[in-house]
Coordinates of all heavy atoms in Angstrom, one line a residue:
M9 N 117.3 114.9 48.5 CA 116.7 114.7 49.9 C 117.6 115.4 50.9 O 118.8 115.5 50.7 CB 116.7 113.1 50.1 CG 116.1 112.7 51.4 SD 114.7 111.7 51.1 CE 114.2 111.4 52.8
A10 N 117.0 115.7 52.0 CA 117.6 116.4 53.0 C 118.6 115.6 53.8 O 118.6 114.4 53.8 CB 116.6 117.0 54.0
N11 N 119.6 116.2 54.4 CA 120.6 115.5 55.2 C 120.2 115.3 56.7 O 120.6 114.4 57.3 CB 122.0 116.2 55.1 CG 122.5 116.2 53.7 OD1 122.3 115.2 53.0 ND2 123.2 117.2 53.3
I12 N 119.4 116.3 57.2 CA 119.1 116.2 58.6 C 118.0 115.2 58.8 O 117.0 115.1 58.1 CB 118.6 117.7 59.1 CG1 119.8 118.6 58.9 CG2 118.2 117.6 60.5 CD1 119.5 120.1 59.0
K13 N 118.1 114.5 59.9 CA 117.2 113.4 60.2 C 115.7 113.8 60.3 O 114.8 113.2 59.7 CB 117.6 112.7 61.5 CG 116.9 111.4 61.8 CD 117.4 110.7 63.0 CE 116.7 109.4 63.3 NZ 117.3 108.7 64.5
S14 N 115.5 114.9 61.0 CA 114.1 115.4 61.2 C 113.5 115.9 59.8 O 112.3 115.8 59.6 CB 114.1 116.6 62.2 OG 114.8 117.7 61.8
A15 N 114.4 116.5 59.0 CA 113.9 116.9 57.7 C 113.6 115.7 56.8 O 112.6 115.8 56.0 CB 115.0 117.8 57.0
K16 N 114.3 114.6 56.9 CA 114.0 113.4 56.2 C 112.6 112.9 56.6 O 111.8 112.5 55.8 CB 115.0 112.3 56.4 CG 116.4 112.6 55.7 CD 117.4 111.5 56.0 CE 118.7 111.8 55.4 NZ 119.7 110.8 55.7
K17 N 112.4 112.9 57.9 CA 111.1 112.5 58.4 C 109.9 113.3 57.9 O 108.9 112.8 57.6 CB 111.1 112.5 60.0 CG 112.0 111.5 60.6 CD 111.9 111.7 62.1 CE 113.0 110.8 62.8 NZ 113.0 111.1 64.3
R18 N 110.2 114.7 57.9 CA 109.1 115.6 57.4 C 108.8 115.3 55.9 O 107.7 115.4 55.5 CB 109.6 117.0 57.5 CG 109.7 117.5 58.9 CD 108.4 117.5 59.7 NE 107.3 118.3 59.0 CZ 106.0 118.1 59.2 NH1 105.6 117.2 60.0 NH2 105.2 118.9 58.5
V19 N 109.9 115.0 55.1 CA 109.6 114.7 53.7 C 108.7 113.4 53.6 O 107.8 113.4 52.8 CB 111.0 114.4 53.0 CG1 110.8 113.8 51.6 CG2 111.7 115.7 52.8
L20 N 109.0 112.4 54.4 CA 108.2 111.2 54.3 C 106.8 111.5 54.8 O 105.8 111.0 54.2 CB 108.8 110.1 55.2 CG 110.2 109.6 54.8 CD1 110.8 108.6 55.8 CD2 110.1 108.9 53.4
T21 N 106.6 112.3 55.8 CA 105.3 112.6 56.3 C 104.5 113.4 55.3 O 103.3 113.2 55.1 CB 105.4 113.4 57.6 OG1 106.2 112.7 58.6 CG2 104.1 113.7 58.2
A22 N 105.2 114.4 54.7 CA 104.5 115.2 53.7 C 104.0 114.4 52.5 O 102.9 114.6 52.0 CB 105.5 116.3 53.2
E23 N 104.8 113.4 52.1 CA 104.4 112.5 51.0 C 103.2 111.7 51.3 O 102.3 111.5 50.5 CB 105.6 111.7 50.5 CG 105.3 110.7 49.4 CD 104.9 111.4 48.1 OE1 105.2 112.6 47.9 OE2 104.4 110.7 47.2
R24 N 103.3 111.2 52.5 CA 102.1 110.3 53.0 C 100.9 111.2 53.1 O 99.8 110.7 52.6 CB 102.5 109.8 54.4 CG 101.5 108.8 54.9 CD 101.9 108.1 56.2 NE 102.1 109.0 57.3 CZ 103.2 109.2 57.9 NH1 104.3 108.5 57.6 NH2 103.3 110.1 58.9
N25 N 101.0 112.4 53.6 CA 99.8 113.3 53.6 C 99.3 113.7 52.3 O 98.1 113.7 52.0 CB 100.1 114.5 54.4 CG 100.3 114.2 55.9 OD1 99.9 113.2 56.4 ND2 100.9 115.2 56.6
R26 N 100.2 113.9 51.3 CA 99.9 114.3 50.0 C 99.1 113.2 49.3 O 98.0 113.4 48.7 CB 101.1 114.6 49.1 CG 100.8 115.1 47.7 CD 102.1 115.2 46.9 NE 102.6 113.9 46.5 CZ 102.1 113.1 45.5 NH1 101.1 113.5 44.8 NH2 102.7 111.9 45.3
L27 N 99.5 111.9 49.5 CA 98.8 110.8 48.9 C 97.4 110.6 49.5 O 96.4 110.3 48.8 CB 99.6 109.5 49.1 CG 100.9 109.4 48.3 CD1 101.7 108.2 48.7 CD2 100.6 109.4 46.8
R28 N 97.3 110.8 50.8 CA 96.0 110.8 51.5 C 95.1 111.9 50.9 O 93.9 111.6 50.7 CB 96.2 110.9 53.0 CG 94.9 110.7 53.7 CD 95.1 110.8 55.2 NE 96.1 109.9 55.7 CZ 97.1 110.2 56.5 NH1 97.3 111.5 56.9 NH2 98.0 109.3 57.0
N29 N 95.6 113.1 50.8 CA 94.8 114.2 50.3 C 94.3 114.0 48.8 O 93.2 114.3 48.5 CB 95.6 115.5 50.3 CG 95.8 115.9 51.8 OD1 95.2 115.4 52.7 ND2 96.8 116.9 51.9
V30 N 95.2 113.4 48.0 CA 94.9 113.1 46.6 C 93.7 112.1 46.6 O 92.8 112.2 45.8 CB 96.1 112.6 45.8 CG1 95.7 112.0 44.5 CG2 97.1 113.8 45.6
A31 N 93.8 111.1 47.4 CA 92.8 110.0 47.4 C 91.5 110.6 47.9 O 90.4 110.3 47.3 CB 93.2 108.9 48.4
F32 N 91.5 111.5 48.8 CA 90.3 112.1 49.3 C 89.6 113.0 48.3 O 88.4 113.0 48.1 CB 90.5 112.9 50.6 CG 89.3 113.1 51.5 CD1 89.1 112.2 52.5 CD2 88.4 114.1 51.3 CE1 88.0 112.3 53.4 CE2 87.3 114.2 52.1 CZ 87.1 113.4 53.1
K33 N 90.4 113.8 47.6 CA 89.9 114.7 46.5 C 89.3 113.8 45.4 O 88.3 114.2 44.8 CB 91.0 115.6 46.0 CG 91.4 116.7 46.9 CD 92.5 117.5 46.3 CE 93.0 118.6 47.3 NZ 94.1 119.4 46.7
S34 N 90.0 112.7 45.1 CA 89.5 111.8 44.1 C 88.1 111.3 44.5 O 87.2 111.1 43.6 CB 90.4 110.7 43.9 OG 89.9 109.8 42.9
S35 N 87.9 110.9 45.8 CA 86.6 110.4 46.2 C 85.5 111.5 46.1 O 84.4 111.2 45.8 CB 86.7 109.9 47.6 OG 86.9 111.0 48.5
I36 N 85.9 112.8 46.3 CA 84.9 113.8 46.1 C 84.5 113.9 44.6 O 83.3 114.1 44.3 CB 85.5 115.2 46.6 CG1 85.7 115.2 48.1 CG2 84.6 116.4 46.2 CD1 86.4 116.4 48.6
K37 N 85.5 113.8 43.7 CA 85.2 113.9 42.3 C 84.3 112.7 41.9 O 83.3 112.9 41.1 CB 86.5 113.9 41.5 CG 87.3 115.1 41.6 CD 88.6 115.0 40.8 CE 89.5 116.1 41.1 NZ 90.9 115.9 40.5
T38 N 84.5 111.6 42.4 CA 83.7 110.4 42.1 C 82.3 110.6 42.6 O 81.3 110.3 41.9 CB 84.3 109.1 42.7 OG1 85.7 109.0 42.3 CG2 83.5 107.9 42.4
A39 N 82.1 111.2 43.8 CA 80.8 111.4 44.4 C 80.1 112.4 43.5 O 78.9 112.3 43.3 CB 81.0 111.9 45.8
V40 N 80.7 113.4 43.0 CA 80.1 114.4 42.2 C 79.6 113.8 40.9 O 78.5 114.0 40.4 CB 81.1 115.6 41.9 CG1 80.6 116.5 40.8 CG2 81.3 116.4 43.1
K41 N 80.4 112.9 40.3 CA 80.0 112.2 39.1 C 78.8 111.3 39.3 O 77.9 111.3 38.5 CB 81.2 111.3 38.5 CG 82.3 112.1 37.9 CD 83.4 111.2 37.5 CE 84.6 112.1 37.0 NZ 85.8 111.2 36.7
K42 N 78.7 110.7 40.5 CA 77.6 109.9 40.8 C 76.3 110.7 40.9 O 75.2 110.3 40.5 CB 77.8 109.1 42.1 CG 78.7 107.9 41.9 CD 78.9 107.1 43.2 CE 79.9 105.9 43.0 NZ 80.0 105.2 44.2
V43 N 76.4 111.9 41.5 CA 75.3 112.8 41.6 C 74.8 113.2 40.2 O 73.6 113.2 40.0 CB 75.7 114.1 42.4 CG1 74.6 115.1 42.4 CG2 76.0 113.7 43.9
L44 N 75.7 113.6 39.3 CA 75.3 114.0 38.0 C 74.7 112.8 37.2 O 73.7 113.0 36.5 CB 76.5 114.5 37.3 CG 77.1 115.8 37.8 CD1 78.3 116.3 37.1 CD2 76.0 116.9 37.9
E45 N 75.2 111.6 37.4 CA 74.6 110.5 36.7 C 73.2 110.2 37.3 O 72.3 109.9 36.5 CB 75.4 109.2 37.0 CG 76.7 109.2 36.2 CD 77.6 108.0 36.6 OE1 77.2 107.1 37.3 OE2 78.8 108.0 36.1
A46 N 73.0 110.3 38.6 CA 71.7 110.1 39.2 C 70.7 111.2 38.7 O 69.5 110.9 38.5 CB 71.7 110.1 40.7
A47 N 71.2 112.4 38.5 CA 70.3 113.5 38.0 C 69.9 113.3 36.6 O 68.8 113.5 36.2 CB 71.1 114.9 38.2
K48 N 70.9 112.8 35.8 CA 70.6 112.5 34.4 C 69.6 111.3 34.3 O 68.7 111.3 33.4 CB 71.8 112.1 33.6 CG 72.7 113.3 33.3 CD 73.9 112.9 32.5 CE 74.9 114.1 32.3 NZ 76.2 113.7 31.8
A49 N 69.7 110.4 35.1 CA 68.8 109.2 35.1 C 67.4 109.5 35.7 O 66.5 108.7 35.7 CB 69.5 108.0 35.9
D50 N 67.3 110.7 36.3 CA 66.1 111.1 37.0 C 65.6 110.2 38.1 O 64.5 109.9 38.3 CB 65.0 111.2 35.9 CG 64.0 112.3 36.3 OD1 64.4 113.3 37.0 OD2 62.8 112.3 35.9
D51 N 66.6 109.7 38.9 CA 66.4 108.8 40.0 C 66.4 109.6 41.3 O 67.5 110.0 41.8 CB 67.4 107.7 40.0 CG 67.2 106.6 41.0 OD1 66.1 106.7 41.8 OD2 68.0 105.7 41.2
K52 N 65.3 109.9 41.9 CA 65.2 110.8 43.0 C 65.9 110.3 44.3 O 66.6 111.0 44.9 CB 63.7 111.1 43.3 CG 62.9 111.8 42.2 CD 63.2 113.2 42.1 CE 62.3 113.9 41.1 NZ 62.8 115.2 40.7
D53 N 65.7 109.0 44.6 CA 66.3 108.4 45.8 C 67.8 108.4 45.7 O 68.5 108.8 46.6 CB 65.7 107.0 46.0 CG 64.2 107.0 46.3 OD1 63.8 108.0 46.9 OD2 63.6 106.0 46.1
A54 N 68.3 107.9 44.5 CA 69.7 107.9 44.4 C 70.3 109.3 44.4 O 71.4 109.5 44.9 CB 70.1 107.1 43.1
L55 N 69.6 110.2 43.8 CA 70.1 111.6 43.7 C 70.2 112.2 45.1 O 71.2 112.8 45.5 CB 69.1 112.4 42.9 CG 69.5 113.9 42.8 CD1 70.8 114.1 42.1 CD2 68.4 114.7 42.0
K56 N 69.2 111.9 45.9 CA 69.2 112.5 47.3 C 70.3 111.9 48.1 O 71.1 112.7 48.8 CB 67.9 112.2 48.0 CG 67.7 112.9 49.3 CD 66.3 112.7 49.8 CE 66.1 113.5 51.1 NZ 64.8 113.3 51.7
S57 N 70.5 110.6 48.0 CA 71.6 110.0 48.8 C 73.0 110.4 48.3 O 73.9 110.6 49.1 CB 71.4 108.5 48.9 OG 71.6 107.9 47.6
S58 N 73.2 110.4 47.0 CA 74.5 110.7 46.5 C 74.8 112.2 46.7 O 76.0 112.6 46.9 CB 74.6 110.4 45.0 OG 73.6 111.1 44.2
M59 N 73.8 113.1 46.6 CA 74.0 114.5 46.9 C 74.4 114.7 48.3 O 75.4 115.4 48.6 CB 72.7 115.3 46.6 CG 72.9 116.7 46.6 SD 73.3 117.3 45.0 CE 72.5 118.8 44.9
S60 N 73.8 114.0 49.2 CA 74.1 114.1 50.7 C 75.6 113.6 50.9 O 76.3 114.2 51.6 CB 73.2 113.2 51.5 OG 73.5 113.2 52.8
K61 N 76.0 112.5 50.2 CA 77.3 112.0 50.4 C 78.3 113.0 49.8 O 79.4 113.2 50.5 CB 77.4 110.6 49.6 CG 78.7 110.0 49.7 CD 79.0 109.4 51.1 CE 80.3 108.6 51.1 NZ 80.6 108.2 52.4
A62 N 78.1 113.6 48.7 CA 79.0 114.6 48.1 C 79.2 115.8 49.1 O 80.3 116.2 49.3 CB 78.5 115.0 46.8
Y63 N 78.1 116.3 49.6 CA 78.1 117.4 50.6 C 78.9 117.0 51.8 O 79.8 117.7 52.3 CB 76.7 117.8 51.0 CG 76.1 118.8 50.1 CD1 76.2 118.8 48.7 CD2 75.3 119.8 50.6 CE1 75.6 119.7 47.9 CE2 74.6 120.7 49.8 CZ 74.8 120.7 48.5 OH 74.2 121.6 47.7
Q64 N 78.7 115.8 52.3 CA 79.4 115.3 53.5 C 80.9 115.2 53.2 O 81.7 115.6 54.1 CB 78.8 113.9 53.8 CG 79.5 113.3 55.0 CD 79.0 111.8 55.2 OE1 78.3 111.3 54.4 NE2 79.5 111.2 56.3
L65 N 81.3 114.7 52.1 CA 82.7 114.6 51.7 C 83.4 115.9 51.7 O 84.5 116.1 52.1 CB 82.9 113.8 50.5 CG 82.7 112.3 50.5 CD1 82.7 111.7 49.1 CD2 83.7 111.6 51.4
C66 N 82.7 116.9 51.1 CA 83.2 118.3 51.0 C 83.4 118.9 52.3 O 84.5 119.5 52.6 CB 82.3 119.2 50.1 SG 82.4 118.9 48.4
D67 N 82.4 118.7 53.2 CA 82.5 119.3 54.5 C 83.6 118.6 55.3 O 84.3 119.2 56.1 CB 81.2 119.1 55.3 CG 80.1 120.0 54.7 OD1 80.5 121.0 54.0 OD2 78.9 119.7 54.8
K68 N 83.8 117.3 55.2 CA 84.8 116.6 55.9 C 86.2 117.0 55.4 O 87.1 117.1 56.2 CB 84.6 115.1 55.7 CG 85.5 114.2 56.6 CD 85.3 112.8 56.4 CE 84.2 112.3 57.4 NZ 84.1 110.9 57.5
A69 N 86.3 117.3 54.1 CA 87.6 117.7 53.6 C 88.0 119.1 54.2 O 89.2 119.3 54.4 CB 87.5 117.8 52.0
V70 N 87.0 119.9 54.4 CA 87.3 121.2 55.0 C 87.8 121.0 56.4 O 88.7 121.6 56.8 CB 86.0 122.1 55.0 CG1 86.2 123.4 55.8 CG2 85.7 122.5 53.5
S71 N 87.1 120.1 57.2 CA 87.5 120.0 58.6 C 88.8 119.3 58.7 O 89.5 119.5 59.7 CB 86.4 119.1 59.3 OG 86.4 117.8 58.8
K72 N 89.2 118.5 57.7 CA 90.6 117.9 57.7 C 91.6 118.8 57.2 O 92.8 118.4 57.2 CB 90.5 116.6 56.9 CG 89.7 115.5 57.6 CD 89.7 114.3 56.7 CE 89.0 113.1 57.3 NZ 89.9 112.3 58.2
G73 N 91.2 119.9 56.6 CA 92.2 120.8 56.0 C 92.7 120.5 54.6 O 93.7 121.0 54.1
I74 N 91.9 119.6 53.9 CA 92.2 119.2 52.6 C 91.8 120.3 51.6 O 92.5 120.6 50.6 CB 91.6 117.8 52.3 CG1 92.3 116.8 53.2 CG2 91.9 117.4 50.8 CD1 91.6 115.4 53.1
L75 N 90.6 120.8 51.8 CA 90.0 121.9 51.0 C 89.8 123.1 51.8 O 89.5 123.0 53.0 CB 88.7 121.4 50.4 CG 88.6 120.3 49.4 CD1 87.2 120.1 48.9 CD2 89.5 120.6 48.2
H76 N 89.9 124.3 51.2 CA 89.5 125.5 51.8 C 88.0 125.6 51.9 O 87.3 125.0 51.0 CB 90.1 126.7 51.0 CG 90.0 128.0 51.7 ND1 88.9 128.8 51.6 CD2 90.8 128.7 52.5 CE1 89.0 129.9 52.3 NE2 90.2 129.8 52.8
K77 N 87.5 126.3 52.8 CA 86.0 126.3 53.0 C 85.3 126.9 51.8 O 84.2 126.5 51.4 CB 85.6 127.0 54.3 CG 85.9 128.5 54.4 CD 85.5 129.1 55.7 CE 85.7 130.6 55.6 NZ 85.2 131.3 56.8
N78 N 85.9 127.9 51.2 CA 85.3 128.6 50.0 C 85.3 127.6 48.8 O 84.4 127.6 48.0 CB 86.0 129.9 49.7 CG 85.8 131.0 50.7 OD1 85.0 130.8 51.6 ND2 86.5 132.1 50.6
T79 N 86.4 126.8 48.7 CA 86.5 125.8 47.6 C 85.3 124.8 47.8 O 84.7 124.5 46.8 CB 87.8 125.1 47.6 OG1 88.9 126.1 47.6 CG2 88.0 124.2 46.5
A80 N 85.1 124.3 49.0 CA 84.1 123.4 49.2 C 82.7 124.0 48.9 O 81.8 123.4 48.3 CB 84.1 122.9 50.6
A81 N 82.5 125.2 49.3 CA 81.2 125.9 49.1 C 81.0 126.1 47.6 O 79.9 125.9 47.1 CB 81.2 127.3 49.8
R82 N 82.1 126.4 46.9 CA 82.0 126.6 45.4 C 81.6 125.3 44.7 O 80.7 125.2 43.9 CB 83.3 127.1 44.9 CG 83.2 127.4 43.4 CD 84.5 128.0 42.8 NE 85.6 127.0 42.9 CZ 86.7 127.1 43.6 NH1 86.9 128.2 44.4 NH2 87.6 126.2 43.6
K83 N 82.2 124.2 45.2 CA 81.9 122.9 44.6 C 80.5 122.5 44.8 O 79.8 122.0 43.9 CB 82.9 121.8 45.2 CG 84.3 121.8 44.7 CD 85.1 120.7 45.3 CE 86.5 120.7 44.8 NZ 86.6 120.4 43.4
K84 N 80.0 122.7 46.1 CA 78.6 122.4 46.4 C 77.6 123.2 45.6 O 76.6 122.7 45.1 CB 78.4 122.5 47.9 CG 79.2 121.5 48.7 CD 78.7 121.4 50.2 CE 79.1 122.6 51.0 NZ 78.8 122.5 52.4
S85 N 78.0 124.5 45.5 CA 77.1 125.4 44.7 C 77.0 125.0 43.3 O 75.9 125.0 42.7 CB 77.6 126.8 44.9 OG 76.8 127.7 44.1
R86 N 78.1 124.7 42.7 CA 78.1 124.4 41.3 C 77.4 123.0 41.0 O 76.8 122.8 40.0 CB 79.6 124.3 40.7 CG 80.2 125.6 40.6 CD 81.6 125.5 40.1 NE 82.2 126.9 39.9 CZ 83.5 127.1 39.6 NH1 84.3 126.1 39.4 NH2 83.9 128.3 39.5
L87 N 77.6 122.1 42.0 CA 76.9 120.8 41.9 C 75.4 121.0 41.9 O 74.7 120.4 41.1 CB 77.4 119.9 43.0 CG 76.8 118.5 43.0 CD1 77.1 117.8 41.8 CD2 77.3 117.7 44.2
T88 N 74.9 121.8 42.9 CA 73.5 122.1 43.0 C 73.0 122.8 41.7 O 71.9 122.4 41.2 CB 73.2 123.0 44.2 OG1 73.8 122.4 45.4 CG2 71.8 123.2 44.4
K89 N 73.7 123.7 41.2 CA 73.3 124.4 39.9 C 73.2 123.4 38.8 O 72.2 123.4 38.0 CB 74.3 125.5 39.6 CG 74.0 126.8 40.3 CD 75.1 127.8 39.8 CE 74.5 129.1 39.3 NZ 75.4 130.1 38.9
A90 N 74.1 122.5 38.7 CA 74.2 121.5 37.6 C 73.0 120.6 37.7 O 72.3 120.2 36.7 CB 75.5 120.7 37.6
V91 N 72.7 120.1 39.0 CA 71.6 119.2 39.2 C 70.3 119.9 38.9 O 69.4 119.3 38.2 CB 71.6 118.7 40.7 CG1 70.3 118.0 41.0 CG2 72.7 117.8 40.9
N92 N 70.1 121.2 39.3 CA 68.9 121.9 39.0 C 68.7 122.1 37.5 O 67.6 122.0 37.0 CB 68.9 123.2 39.7 CG 68.7 123.1 41.2 OD1 68.2 122.1 41.7 ND2 69.1 124.1 41.9
K93 N 69.8 122.3 36.8 CA 69.7 122.5 35.3 C 69.3 121.2 34.7 O 68.5 121.2 33.7 CB 71.1 123.0 34.8 CG 71.1 123.4 33.4 CD 72.4 124.0 33.0 CE 72.5 124.4 31.6 NZ 73.8 124.9 31.2
L94 N 69.8 120.1 35.1 CA 69.5 118.8 34.5 C 68.0 118.4 34.8 O 67.4 117.8 34.0 CB 70.4 117.7 35.1 CG 71.8 117.7 34.5 CD1 72.7 116.7 35.2 CD2 71.8 117.3 33.0
Q95 N 67.6 118.7 36.0 CA 66.2 118.4 36.4 C 65.2 119.3 35.7 O 64.1 118.9 35.4 CB 66.0 118.5 37.9 CG 66.6 117.4 38.6 CD 66.4 117.5 40.2 OE1 66.2 118.6 40.7 NE2 66.5 116.4 40.8
A96 N 65.6 120.5 35.3 CA 64.7 121.4 34.6 C 64.4 120.9 33.2 O 63.3 121.2 32.6 CB 65.3 122.8 34.5
K97 N 65.3 120.1 32.6 CA 65.1 119.7 31.2 C 64.0 118.6 31.1 O 63.7 117.9 32.0 CB 66.4 119.1 30.7 CG 67.4 120.2 30.4 CD 68.7 119.6 29.8 CE 69.7 120.7 29.5 NZ 70.9 120.1 28.9

């Protein structure tokens, strides 16, 4: 650990932010799983609402600086492709 007071504060702040970011990323993964489950179950209403929630979380992560905008776009694109593939079956 650092010796300078301000550096110690930065270490604590960075850890707090890291934990918040990990939790937010985890919520995105959970939302994606719910979308895929709804697509497999062929539930249109649940699929629409869960897809909207997943998109919203990705966009919010970009605005908070948790994800890069291209990463969020890639996640949304892959999610849409997976849902379309499941619905085609």
Side-chain angles (χ1 to χ4, degrees):
M9 181 118 180
N11 292 328
I12 299 169
K13 191 174 182 181
S14 61
K16 289 179 183 178
K17 290 179 190 175
R18 291 299 302 159
V19 167
L20 296 174
T21 304
E23 179 62 16
R24 187 172 61 236
N25 291 343
R26 186 188 70 81
L27 292 174
R28 187 180 302 130
N29 292 346
V30 167
F32 204 95
K33 286 180 184 179
S34 177
S35 69
I36 292 173
K37 290 176 190 173
T38 303
V40 167
K41 287 178 189 173
K42 286 184 181 179
V43 170
L44 295 176
E45 287 173 10
K48 284 180 187 172
D50 211 25
D51 187 1
K52 299 283 184 194
D53 294 333
L55 177 62
K56 189 173 181 182
S57 64
S58 59
M59 190 88 144
S60 174
K61 181 70 174 173
Y63 272 37
Q64 179 187 6
L65 286 173
C66 284
D67 293 336
K68 188 176 270 193
V70 170
S71 67
K72 289 177 176 277
I74 296 170
L75 292 179
H76 189 273
K77 65 178 184 174
N78 292 353
T79 304
R82 184 180 67 243
K83 284 182 181 292
K84 292 192 292 188
S85 175
R86 287 180 179 173
L87 181 61
T88 306
K89 277 179 127 177
V91 167
N92 290 341
K93 189 175 182 182
L94 285 171
Q95 285 181 334
K97 288 184 179 178

